[in-house]
Amino acid sequence: MSTPALRVHEHCRVVLDNDWSGDPDGLVALAHHLLSPANRVVAVTSSGLDPRFPGPLPRAADGAALATELLAAVGGADLPPVHAGSEEVFGDASGSAAADAIAAEARRDDELPLFLVCGGPLTNVAQALRQAPDIAERLTLVWIGGSLDAGAFEYNRDTDREAAAFVLAQADLDVQSFPVETYRRCAYSVAELEHDLGTTGALGRWLWEHFTDPPDWIRVGGNWPLGDSPPVLVTALTVESSRWTSSTAEGGRGERRVYTDVDTRLLFGDLLARLRAHERGRA
């Protein structure tokens, strides 16, 4: 006898923007969003890698191709479209299909609120806001980036500082951010990661395989943080068991929520349950 399922209702739309061909924790987060029935993923957009930290697939187009592969591995009907972002940092040449898609989705009327989840540099987000400034009041940005320590290096912000400065200056834009000190709390031991992903079916193995050939400049120790995963708490689960500070943007109405702790048990327990359920559905 099969176990009866509890109906989960959609409560938001999500656009997912990331440098998908970089750190594979972004792919884990993408899979988790796609498997979560409480959010409707309406578009996937890609950004490029910081040239200071080269990988074998550095372009935004490479990330879009990898995201498309993951969508095929997830399978199912009504998969969201994938749009490649700018190959340049924010500036005169940063227009892209990704920015166009973000603006179009924000302008589309829908009863569900829109979360723009960015796990990489804010290049595409900044371009979308520049070409369509009216969308600042029509979405909430959920960003993996920034730091509590103003002097600390943080990859996503520092890959395109001009983009980050432009986005955070939008006084009427709601921003929920997970700074480096917080997203590093999502630590996962390599041994656990291999076991938990590698034993949860075909999709889990696909994800694990993308951890096994890191760029030459990465020296893997005993852990690999799944730092791009916390936005799933915002879009598909709950932040009630996490912690944050909140303020209002200077000169505007936008909320600036900065998370200081995340419920990793809820986050990763749900991830593994979703992967196992996906595998059962293949049987």
Side-chain angles (χ1 to χ4, degrees):
M1 181 180 298
S2 61
T3 302
L6 180 63
R7 183 183 178 189
V8 175
H9 294 269
E10 289 182 338
H11 60 249
C12 66
R13 295 171 290 145
V14 180
V15 173
L16 293 163
D17 182 88
N18 209 321
D19 48 357
W20 306 112
S21 60
D23 191 326
D25 67 325
L27 298 173
V28 174
L30 174 55
H32 198 174
H33 275 100
L34 291 167
L35 296 178
S36 298
N39 63 199
R40 183 201 309 160
V41 180
V42 293
V44 177
T45 58
S46 69
S47 57
L49 304 184
D50 190 323
R52 294 172 294 177
F53 303 95
L57 300 170
R59 301 177 305 147
D62 298 324
L66 191 55
T68 300
E69 287 184 37
L70 174 54
L71 264 64
V74 171
D78 299 322
L79 292 173
V82 178
H83 306 277
S86 173
E87 303 294 354
E88 305 291 336
V89 295
F90 181 53
D92 294 339
S94 58
S96 67
D100 293 344
I102 291 169
E105 184 59 36
R107 284 172 165 168
R108 189 172 66 82
D109 291 329
D110 194 294
E111 63 181 8
L112 295 179
L114 176 63
F115 289 96
L116 172 52
V117 173
C118 183
L122 288 169
T123 310
N124 298 326
V125 180
Q127 177 63 32
L129 286 164
R130 180 169 63 177
Q131 67 190 48
D134 57 293
I135 68 173
E137 297 180 333
R138 298 179 63 89
L139 61 86
T140 296
L141 172 65
V142 185
W143 183 39
I144 297 292
S147 61
L148 299 176
D149 177 358
F153 171 79
E154 196 284 308
Y155 178 90
N156 292 338
R157 178 195 61 213
D158 297 336
T159 293
D160 194 344
R161 278 186 166 271
E162 292 297 323
F166 182 87
V167 170
L168 297 178
Q170 305 300 308
D172 291 329
L173 174 68
D174 289 335
V175 180
Q176 300 190 28
S177 63
F178 295 85
V180 62
E181 294 89 346
T182 303
Y183 67 72
R184 285 288 178 179
R185 290 177 177 267
C186 297
Y188 226 107
S189 83
V190 170
E192 287 181 301
L193 194 61
E194 179 180 10
H195 177 267
D196 286 351
L197 293 182
T199 63
T200 50
L203 179 56
R205 288 192 297 272
W206 188 97
L207 291 168
W208 169 244
E209 288 170 0
H210 287 79
F211 283 86
T212 58
D213 188 23
D216 293 340
W217 57 268
I218 292 180
R219 296 293 180 264
V220 180
N223 74 293
W224 196 310
L226 296 186
D228 282 351
S229 289
V232 178
L233 294 168
V234 178
T235 64
L237 294 169
T238 181
V239 295
E240 291 176 332
S241 49
S242 298
R243 297 178 182 176
W244 64 87
T245 62
S246 184
S247 61
T248 302
E250 183 177 354
R253 296 171 295 176
E255 181 189 18
R256 294 295 185 267
R257 180 181 294 188
V258 179
Y259 288 89
T260 56
D261 197 11
V262 293
D263 188 342
T264 56
R265 191 226 60 82
L266 173 63
L267 182 61
F268 296 131
D270 186 74
L271 167 65
L272 298 181
R274 295 291 173 198
L275 287 171
R276 294 186 184 106
H278 180 267
E279 183 64 16
R280 290 196 301 272
R282 292 165 49 91

